[in-house]
Amino acid sequence: MLELLRFVERNGMSESIRAIESRRVMESLIDRITNEGLPQPNVDAFGEAFAAAFDRWLVDLVYWLRLPSRP
């Protein structure tokens, strides 16, 4: 989560750089995300579309973390 928060706090990136950097963050965390049973990101999105997919996943993750009991 700390790595995600650090990434989200970065400002001033173009959409293409944000897509590249968010993919890098995701790839470094995907095993932990899977092992912990967290909602899975859409890794099928490519290019600038990945930045939007990453943002949607962040919203899903926050919603999931706020649930009273997790599956």
Side-chain angles (χ1 to χ4, degrees):
M1 292 307 299
L2 185 56
E3 189 170 350
L4 289 173
L5 288 173
R6 286 182 182 141
F7 177 77
V8 169
E9 289 180 348
R10 293 172 63 187
N11 293 321
M13 284 186 271
S14 69
E15 197 67 16
S16 57
I17 297 298
R18 181 165 166 64
I20 292 166
E21 290 298 312
S22 59
R23 173 75 68 173
R24 183 193 59 77
V25 168
M26 185 56 57
E27 287 176 354
S28 73
L29 297 173
I30 196 68
D31 289 338
R32 287 187 275 178
I33 291 167
T34 301
N35 291 340
E36 295 297 326
L38 299 174
Q40 295 294 302
N42 177 8
V43 294
D44 294 332
F46 293 100
E48 291 184 10
F50 188 77
F54 183 82
D55 290 342
R56 281 190 300 276
W57 174 74
L58 285 175
V59 170
D60 291 344
L61 179 62
V62 169
Y63 178 77
W64 183 84
L65 289 169
R66 294 186 69 190
L67 291 174
S69 63
R70 293 183 225 27

